[in-house]
Amino acid sequence: MPGGLVALLDDVAAIAKLAAASIDDVAAAAGRAGTKAAGVVIDDTAVTPRYVVGLSPARELPIIAKIARGSLKNKLLFLLPVAVALSAFAPWAITPLLMLGGAYLCFEATEKIFESVIEHEDHGEEVLEITDPAELENRQVSGAVRTDFILSAEIMAIALADLPDQSITMQAVILAAVGIAITVGVYGVVALIVKMDDIGLHMAARRNSGVQSVGRGLVAAMPVLLKALSLIGTAAMIWVGGGIIVHGLEVFHFTPIPHWVHGAAEGAAHAVPFAHGVVEWVVAAAGSAVVGIIVGGIIVAVMHQFHRKKAAH
């Protein structure tokens, strides 16, 4: 009997070690895959705070929570099964779909730049005309979840493309881990950002002069932070979208553009040997951004021409 108990404990220990190793594998793979999607994550973080502008401060966190739940539903209920099915039955489609998504990111970012330059009318006017707070909240949440669906699709596709050969079950678990971790991280940061001015006002009302100064600084920094996030998000979209397209062209052996980007990065890195890795990454990202602006510019020009013709008719 004691011998049987010892054997049973050994089996339990072996199973526990195996489970721990599997968890480590999932965590490592999820970390690598999630890192590749960093640019899209930055944009997701930068875009979301605008959806609570003009709403009651008391509803900001509940709205962020609603958007986060919608984001999780997008990733786990809709996108994850599609991603796993693609991996199992049509892996050849992953790269073209990634390139389409990358082109969309380039288009959206370039359109933002184009509209800021020519000072287009604010597209938020239609939303601001809504007077019913509940209707406005529902409108903002549904708009945010739709935008999140596009960004989540890119995140899941990028993560899937970076996964090593794994079983379908392991791929699903890793993608679920990536989706949950990114959603919690993004919307946790967004919640902190949208409440930063409230935190600052609370601190500014304290008696301690040092705390008051920090609070006033937080309130003053809020507009600057939102502007910086918008710029960073736009830049990240162009860089990531262009990088996806460059990588896709390389996969399909259309090599002149990838060779130009990689060649420029390697040449710059050799010229600055003491910062080889950093310089190579920066120049490669800049080259990808140039490709992204060109692709986005072409799509913006085509779309605006189409809208002009449609308006003329």
Side-chain angles (χ1 to χ4, degrees):
M1 185 69 178
L5 180 59
V6 170
L8 177 61
L9 291 175
D10 284 343
D11 290 341
V12 170
I15 292 171
K17 287 180 182 178
L18 182 60
S22 298
I23 291 171
D24 286 344
D25 291 342
V26 169
R32 289 192 299 270
T35 301
K36 293 288 185 179
V40 187
V41 172
I42 291 169
D43 183 65
D44 207 358
T45 307
V47 166
T48 306
R50 74 183 186 191
Y51 288 101
V52 298
V53 173
L55 299 173
S56 167
R59 295 299 303 160
E60 287 175 345
L61 291 183
I63 289 169
I64 296 299
K66 285 183 180 180
I67 298 171
R69 286 195 296 270
S71 178
L72 275 177
K73 189 182 293 184
N74 283 341
K75 293 181 179 74
L76 301 182
L77 296 186
F78 304 124
L79 296 171
L80 191 151
V82 171
V84 172
L86 280 175
S87 178
F89 304 109
W92 52 268
I94 294 174
T95 297
L97 288 174
L98 270 174
M99 293 180 73
L100 282 174
Y104 175 81
L105 290 177
C106 295
F107 159 69
E108 193 175 53
T110 307
E111 189 176 43
K112 285 181 183 178
I113 296 171
F114 180 73
E115 289 181 352
S116 68
V117 170
I118 67 171
E119 297 182 347
H120 265 199
E121 66 277 6
D122 185 6
H123 296 294
E125 289 177 359
E126 181 184 355
V127 173
L128 295 176
E129 291 174 0
I130 300 174
T131 56
D132 180 18
E135 185 182 352
L136 177 57
E137 181 174 318
N138 290 335
R139 178 74 170 270
Q140 296 293 73
V141 170
S142 62
V145 172
R146 281 196 302 272
T147 300
D148 175 88
F149 187 88
I150 301 296
L151 297 173
S152 291
E154 279 298 296
I155 288 169
M156 299 298 274
I158 293 169
L160 178 64
D162 196 57
L163 288 181
D165 291 334
Q166 300 276 3
S167 67
I168 296 297
T169 302
M170 185 63 79
Q171 285 184 349
V173 171
I174 292 170
L175 288 176
V178 169
I180 292 170
I182 285 177
T183 302
V184 171
V186 165
Y187 290 101
V189 171
V190 168
L192 183 62
I193 289 170
V194 300
K195 300 307 291 183
M196 192 173 83
D197 52 349
D198 291 340
I199 295 170
L201 288 172
H202 179 74
M203 294 175 70
R206 302 292 293 272
R207 294 181 178 179
N208 186 293
S209 59
V211 174
Q212 287 180 353
S213 298
V214 173
R216 286 193 290 268
L218 287 176
V219 174
M222 187 65 176
V224 178
L225 175 61
L226 290 175
K227 181 68 175 177
L229 279 174
S230 178
L231 294 174
I232 292 169
T234 301
M237 290 170 76
I238 293 174
W239 155 53
V240 173
I244 291 170
I245 291 170
V246 169
H247 177 71
L249 292 174
E250 201 168 19
V251 169
F252 289 120
H253 305 292
F254 189 82
T255 54
I257 292 175
H259 280 177
W260 170 76
V261 173
H262 297 322
E266 290 174 2
H270 285 307
V272 190
F274 60 87
H276 182 279
V278 173
V279 171
E280 185 173 6
W281 183 88
V282 169
V283 175
S288 297
V290 170
V291 174
I293 290 173
I294 293 171
V295 171
I298 292 170
I299 299 173
V300 167
V302 170
M303 293 298 292
H304 279 262
Q305 190 65 29
F306 173 77
H307 287 310
R308 284 197 194 98
K309 289 184 177 179
K310 188 176 179 181
H313 286 299

